[in-house]
Amino acid sequence: EYSAATGTYSYTLPEGTVGDITVHDLSGCEMKHISGLAADGTVHQASLQGLSRGVYMSTLTTAGADGRLDRRTIKTVVH
């Protein structure tokens, strides 16, 4: 979940997974990559500070212990 008010993502990843967030501008250029997201079943936050105002596409990618990838992409508006 992304909060435009704070510029942060709140996320929970199940134990045994690894995750990262990749942020692209609308032309497809990678603007930010956050890797090594904590995966312990509790709520954590990741900041998008440093990005200019605008609209971005953010993808959360997780990999389970079995190697299966899961991707979720959302539109992100930075104020």
Side-chain angles (χ1 to χ4, degrees):
E1 176 179 311
Y2 176 71
S3 169
T6 62
T8 59
Y9 285 103
S10 295
Y11 67 91
T12 303
L13 298 178
E15 290 185 44
T17 62
V18 294
D20 66 314
I21 296 172
T22 306
V23 181
H24 293 88
D25 65 15
L26 295 182
S27 68
C29 294
E30 184 176 310
M31 303 303 291
K32 187 165 187 119
H33 183 86
I34 305 167
S35 60
L37 298 178
D40 58 10
T42 62
V43 176
H44 293 277
Q45 292 186 327
S47 174
L48 287 187
Q49 290 182 351
L51 286 179
S52 300
R53 291 180 183 207
V55 179
Y56 299 90
M57 298 305 290
S58 301
T59 302
L60 170 65
T61 304
T62 59
D66 61 0
R68 195 189 78 177
L69 292 179
D70 183 33
R71 289 189 176 91
R72 295 181 194 151
T73 302
I74 63 169
K75 180 172 80 171
T76 306
V77 179
V78 176
H79 297 283

